[in-house]
């Protein structure tokens, strides 16, 4: 594709904004329209469970500004409802059709709801948007009653840690026996679990919510282990689902998010690329299977890579082969991950003999390092990240340096 009068970006999040930035950097001088379902500019979601809850950041502090002046049309509160790839049109509210010459799918994910939950109840929230976090903040202002967090993944754990540090009574309910069991090995998982316990988070692990009963001033939760909890507020943090309902009937493969080729081109569609949480693609650095990566840095880098691929066209595009990076912070503990730990079934301490136990776990597949997770050990994680870049070479390494977007 050499000339594109209009590129439409569906999703006004980080990936969408970074795609627009890269299109302009590469000299695309046609029209760029960014369609967003939410009311404003992209937001720094990682702070929703941390500085925003604690009141350190305001809503304004969360807004992400483009790294440089972008000549784009932002259309907020404008969810795309359908894609017709043959006519090259997206469907907007009010029956409006918008033509595109190139399309970037960057619609992210939505918070998963529990099928048995009473979502919509004023004492029950999920956590994905500023509006969700503001609801939690408001509900807990001047309240020191029991809050229940459902979900022991990183969002549930960060939420529990932040609220506990603010003095709230927190019970965390999780299906796995240890916190962040999907990412951490047994030892680091046990240490994180112990940290939460020591700080006063009540843990109900290895159990699920079996029943909900709204009361006049609380929500009662019955757990499968027989316990009954009474919560003034419940936050459901049980993962996410890709925001792809608008792509039904488009011909895109929606097996897990929107399935892409290694270059970010959406399989089976012409002049359509995808980026960020919604996109699954084979990262050839780690193997031929497609995966989604829900990390802040990936949304940035993949948005940029998808823009490059859109302008290069399918034939000329390079595979996108990053070393994904992720961080979390709980009670001051820095958890950092690099690579694709989930792909490595064999877990080994990378710094055995460290007093107090190891701080970095390596994940291996067929004796090959696929990822690392570290506790309070940034230098070691950075060293292993560099090693992952070197050792798992692809021959087509393309991760351009990324300017950090700033909050306005
Ligand atoms: C509470 C929280 C804490 C997090 N903390 C961390 C962290 O500590 N470290 C880390 O690495 N990552 C963290 N993440 C993950 C990180 O924020 C995401 O990976 C990143 O925001 C993904 O960006 P995105 O642009 O792909 O998706 P999003 O930011 O979700 O943007 C997608 C946008 O598309 C919009 N949209 C959806 N459907 C449509 C449609 N049909 N039409 C138009 N627009 C649509 C959505 O409303 C949204 O605004 C956190 C996420 C959350 C929710």
């Amino acid at each position: 594709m050499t000339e594109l009068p209009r590129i439409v970006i569906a999703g006004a999040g980080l990936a969408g904004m970074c795609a627009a930035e890269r299109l302009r950097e590469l000299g695309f001088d046609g029209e760029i329209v960014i369609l967003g379902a939410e009311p404003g500019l992209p937001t720094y979601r990682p702070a929703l469970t941390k500085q925003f809850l604690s009141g350190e950041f305001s809503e304004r502090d969360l807004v992400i500004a483009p790294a440089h002046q972008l000549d784009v049309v932002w259309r907020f509160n404008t969810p795309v409802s359908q894609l017709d790839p043959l006519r090259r049109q997206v469907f907007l509210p009010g029956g409006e059709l918008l033509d595109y010459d190139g399309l970037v799918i960057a619609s992210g994910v939505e918070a998963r709801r529990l099928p048995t939950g009473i979502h919509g109840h004023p004492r029950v929230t999920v956590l994905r948007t500023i509006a969700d976090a503001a609801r939690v903040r408001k509900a807990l202002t001047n309240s020191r009653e029991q809050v229940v967090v459902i979900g022991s993944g990183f969002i549930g754990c960060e939420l529990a840690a932040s609220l506990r540090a603010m003095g709230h009574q927190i019970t965390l309910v999780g299906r796995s026996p240890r916190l962040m069991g999907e990412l951490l090995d047994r030892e680091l998982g046990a240490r994180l679990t112990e940290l939460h316990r020591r700080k006063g988070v009540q843990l109900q692990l290895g159990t699920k919510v079996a029943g909900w009963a709204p009361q006049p001033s609380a929500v009662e939760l019955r757990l499968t282990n027989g316990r009954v909890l009474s919560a003034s507020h419940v936050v459901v943090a049980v993962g996410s689902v890709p925001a792809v309902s608008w792509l039904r009937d488009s011909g895109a493969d929606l097996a897990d998010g929107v399935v892409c080729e290694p270059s970010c081109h959406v399989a089976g569609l012409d002049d359509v690329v995808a980026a960020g949480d919604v996109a699954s693609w084979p990262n050839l650095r780690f193997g031929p299977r497609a995966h989604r990566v829900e990390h802040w840095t990936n949304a940035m880098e993949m948005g940029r890579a998808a823009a490059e691929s859109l302008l290069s066209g399918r034939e000329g595009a390079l595979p996108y082969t990053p070393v994904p990076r992720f961080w979390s912070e709980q009670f001051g503990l820095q958890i950092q991950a690099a690579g694709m730990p989930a792909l490595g079934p064999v877990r080994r301490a990378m710094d055995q003999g460290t007093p107090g136990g190891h701080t970095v776990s390596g994940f291996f597949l067929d004796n090959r390092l696929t990822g690392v997770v570290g506790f309070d050990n940034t230098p070691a994680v950075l060293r292993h990240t560099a090693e992952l870049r070197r050792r798992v070479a692809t021959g087509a390494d393309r991760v351009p340096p990324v300017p950090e977007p700033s909050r306005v």
Side-chain angles (χ1 to χ4, degrees):
M1 197 181 343
T2 49
E3 275 185 15
L4 281 179
R6 179 187 288 148
I7 291 178
V8 168
I9 299 177
L14 181 69
M17 188 186 77
C18 290
E21 282 179 348
R22 190 67 185 138
L23 288 170
R24 288 296 184 226
E25 283 170 14
L26 292 170
F28 174 72
D29 59 2
E31 188 184 9
I32 299 176
V33 181
I34 306 185
L35 305 166
E38 287 180 66
L41 285 165
T43 51
Y44 183 58
R45 298 196 196 280
L48 293 179
T49 38
K50 309 177 189 86
Q51 299 91 334
F52 182 71
L53 270 193
S54 68
E56 189 185 334
F57 284 6
S58 67
E59 286 196 18
R60 202 181 135 69
D61 294 325
L62 298 185
V63 176
I64 302 291
H68 42 80
Q69 194 63 34
L70 284 184
D71 175 21
V72 302
V73 179
W74 293 94
R75 294 188 60 181
F76 302 123
N77 295 312
T78 309
V80 184
S81 57
Q82 210 183 315
L83 163 65
D84 182 339
L86 296 179
R87 291 205 164 87
R88 292 176 178 248
Q89 286 177 327
V90 288
F91 292 50
L92 306 186
E96 183 185 346
L97 297 174
L98 184 66
D99 296 335
Y100 66 79
D101 299 281
L103 175 67
V104 180
I105 295 174
S107 47
V109 296
E110 293 159 8
R112 185 186 293 282
R113 263 94 173 147
L114 283 171
T116 56
I118 47 170
H119 294 285
H121 189 280
R123 292 182 183 276
V124 180
T125 24
V126 291
L127 195 61
R128 179 76 196 168
T129 63
I130 288 194
D132 297 332
R135 221 170 293 134
V136 175
R137 210 159 87 162
K138 187 161 171 232
L140 302 188
T141 307
N142 301 326
S143 159
R144 284 292 173 270
E145 291 168 63
Q146 182 70 21
V147 179
V148 172
V149 175
I150 304 175
S152 55
F154 86 91
I155 289 186
C157 289
E158 286 189 351
L159 197 57
S162 298
L163 294 177
R164 182 66 197 132
M166 290 161 65
H168 293 284
Q169 299 304 312
I170 304 295
T171 300
L172 189 153
V173 179
R175 276 192 315 188
S176 60
R178 286 177 300 280
L179 298 181
M180 290 182 67
E182 283 178 14
L183 178 68
L184 303 179
D185 66 328
R186 185 177 281 270
E187 192 185 325
L188 293 187
R191 253 190 266 167
L192 180 69
T193 307
E194 183 47 33
L195 174 66
H196 277 253
R197 216 187 291 278
R198 208 170 58 240
K199 294 287 186 181
V201 178
Q202 303 293 317
L203 297 175
Q204 291 291 331
L205 297 177
T207 188
K208 289 193 282 191
V209 178
W212 302 63
Q215 309 288 336
S217 58
V219 173
E220 212 173 78
L221 297 173
R222 195 164 37 78
L223 307 185
T224 51
N225 65 7
R227 297 278 172 87
V228 177
L229 307 174
S230 176
S232 70
H233 202 86
V234 181
V235 189
V236 179
V238 292
S240 59
V241 283
V244 291
S245 56
W246 64 282
L247 292 168
R248 244 181 278 132
D249 306 325
S250 68
D253 180 348
L254 305 179
D256 176 27
V258 57
V259 179
C260 300
E261 295 159 8
S263 62
C264 313
H265 281 273
V266 174
L269 304 187
D270 289 332
D271 295 324
V272 182
V273 293
D277 286 6
V278 73
S280 74
W281 89 106
N283 180 342
L284 299 182
R285 186 181 293 279
F286 295 94
R289 279 193 52 196
H291 298 276
R292 286 187 310 108
V293 173
E294 293 184 45
H295 301 347
W296 185 254
T297 48
N298 184 61
M300 239 189 268
E301 293 172 353
M302 195 173 189
R304 296 172 64 82
E308 291 171 17
S309 289
L310 186 61
L311 292 188
S312 326
R314 202 170 230 122
E315 300 308 317
L318 293 172
Y320 170 58
T321 58
V323 173
R325 278 107 53 225
F326 166 80
W327 78 96
S328 173
E329 192 191 326
Q330 297 165 36
F331 294 118
L333 173 74
Q334 297 290 335
I335 303 172
Q336 290 163 315
M340 306 277 278
L343 300 185
V346 178
R347 303 169 174 204
R348 279 185 224 143
M350 303 293 273
D351 55 346
Q352 265 157 339
T354 309
H358 75 273
T359 57
V360 182
S361 295
F363 296 73
F364 294 82
L365 175 66
D366 300 333
N367 254 338
R368 237 175 52 158
L369 185 68
T370 65
V372 293
V373 179
F375 273 15
D376 275 342
N377 197 340
T378 306
V381 173
L382 287 177
R383 213 170 45 246
H384 291 300
T385 309
E387 187 189 329
L388 277 163
R389 280 211 178 92
R390 272 195 312 273
R391 280 178 42 179
V392 195
T394 63
D397 194 1
R398 180 202 52 181
V399 186
V402 183
E404 282 282 333
S406 58
R407 290 188 295 277
V408 290

